[in-house]
Amino acid sequence: VMYRYSALVIKDDAGNFDLQEQTTTTPQRANYIQMGVNGKIQTGAVEHDLTFAVDRAWREREAAKKGSAVYNLGTGNIYTGILNQTAAPTTAYEEAMNNKTSIKGISLVDNITINKWDVLLGVHHHSANVKAYNLTTGRVSSSVDSSATTPTFALSYHPTKDTSVYASHAEYFDVGSVVSSSYKNAGEILPPAKTKQNEIGVKMQTGEFLNTFSYFEIRQANAIDVYEGTQKYRRIDGEQKNKGAEWAFTGTIGKKLELIGGFTYLDVRQSKTARGTNDGKRVDGMPYWTGTLGMVYRPTTDWSLIARMNYVGDSVINGGAIPVPSHTLFDLGATYRTTMGRTPVTLSAMVYNVTGKDYWN
């Protein structure tokens, strides 16, 4: 039971909104189990670190038994802060099973070391089943089976003991889905949408600091509407392309001060959209620049004082029509290690956004 869409929707520039309540599909439970075996094998000068694993995941999600309902409770305005509430919230909620997802996986990974080279070779296979339920009868209304195999491999070279150069490729996927009745290919099972990531980088240990410089590109497949004449189909034919660079560092200054942080440049674009309408446009709410800088000062072995700065650059929303300004937030905290009787205890306190800055996110 929540605000409709979990938010208040502004209707006009005067800041008016409708006060609406919604019951929807939020209660869910998830379980996961994995078992495997790991061992090392030496073949001449080559060392293999092998891992074989199987895993299983389940998720159950419930919904309002009478379906998602919306209740009008009144109106309000963000500038005056006045609510004209005409009805009390409806809190009655009878749940029913909405959907169940079951995923089975198997993985094999070989981490190979030879002289100054490290090679990672891996393959992962998943098969998934998604069942949808009729909220009224409790019976299965549809069932979808899908599967995909994804590789992972990486190569790194250590020219010196303090430097490594690496390249990697990894793929991930989501479960498949059934095309709804509003499309020409209704009932077709779409294959899982894959995400492919490539990355190259350098890691350097300079004194007490470890620096990582990387460039990456991520291609995310997604389902879009595809038109053939006047007929509309739903297909895994869309794509979002993310590319960027990152500098991350961690290290110590003296014996009591630790620094950790990094800066990222990220260009997120819609590369394949329905009828090409949004091709090349930025994805809403994704800034080009983000960064963080944290300091941990340890005056004694028991005390740690923490200061952190988080920067989020400017971005756009509403298809690029509305600019969103950048913001910088500061956090402060402390931890204290002690004992209660014979039990070691760590007490932590953290204050977020200590300057009380207002910002769009």
Side-chain angles (χ1 to χ4, degrees), residues 2-182:
M2 64 187 71
Y3 281 123
R4 189 180 187 185
Y5 308 127
S6 299
L8 295 172
V9 180
I10 309 304
K11 298 198 300 182
D12 50 44
D13 289 341
N16 293 309
F17 60 84
D18 291 324
L19 190 60
Q20 295 182 318
E21 174 199 10
Q22 180 181 20
T23 55
T24 184
T25 57
T26 48
Q28 61 179 314
R29 291 171 295 276
N31 298 279
Y32 178 80
I33 186 172
Q34 183 185 59
M35 294 183 292
V37 61
N38 170 261
K40 293 184 178 181
I41 300 175
Q42 192 78 29
T43 56
V46 182
E47 182 180 278
H48 298 265
D49 190 341
L50 291 163
T51 301
F52 174 78
V54 292
D55 63 279
R56 184 78 181 267
W58 302 265
R59 188 188 71 177
E60 297 181 352
R61 189 171 189 177
E62 295 174 342
K65 190 171 184 178
K66 295 181 180 180
S68 182
V70 176
Y71 305 94
N72 291 309
L73 307 180
T75 60
N77 184 279
I78 63 170
Y79 297 115
T80 66
I82 296 175
L83 296 179
N84 301 306
Q85 188 169 335
T86 57
T90 301
T91 57
Y93 186 96
E94 185 180 1
E95 68 271 12
M97 186 56 61
N98 186 34
N99 59 68
K100 292 183 180 180
T101 301
S102 173
I103 304 175
K104 294 182 289 185
I106 184 170
S107 306
L108 177 62
V109 179
D110 187 5
N111 198 346
I112 303 168
T113 301
I114 177 170
N115 299 324
K116 295 183 176 182
W117 294 89
D118 289 318
V119 181
L120 177 69
L121 301 175
V123 63
H124 182 78
H125 178 79
H126 254 150
S127 59
N129 173 262
V130 180
K131 289 184 173 68
Y133 288 78
N134 184 296
L135 294 173
T136 304
T137 65
R139 296 177 180 176
V140 176
S141 57
S142 64
S143 179
V144 182
D145 292 301
S146 61
S147 63
T149 301
T150 55
T152 298
F153 49 86
L155 178 68
S156 62
Y157 174 68
H158 305 270
T160 69
K161 65 181 183 64
D162 296 325
T163 307
S164 67
V165 182
Y166 69 91
S168 65
H169 173 84
E171 297 183 15
Y172 318 90
F173 77 97
D174 203 349
V175 297
S177 57
V178 178
V179 178
S180 68
S181 59
S182 61

Side-chain angles (χ1 to χ4, degrees), residues 183 223-227 232-235 237-238 273-276:
Y183 294 91
I224 62 171
D225 295 348
V226 177
Y227 294 85
K232 183 174 68 171
Y233 294 80
R234 191 69 171 173
R235 290 179 178 154
D237 201 34
T273 60
R275 289 179 168 172

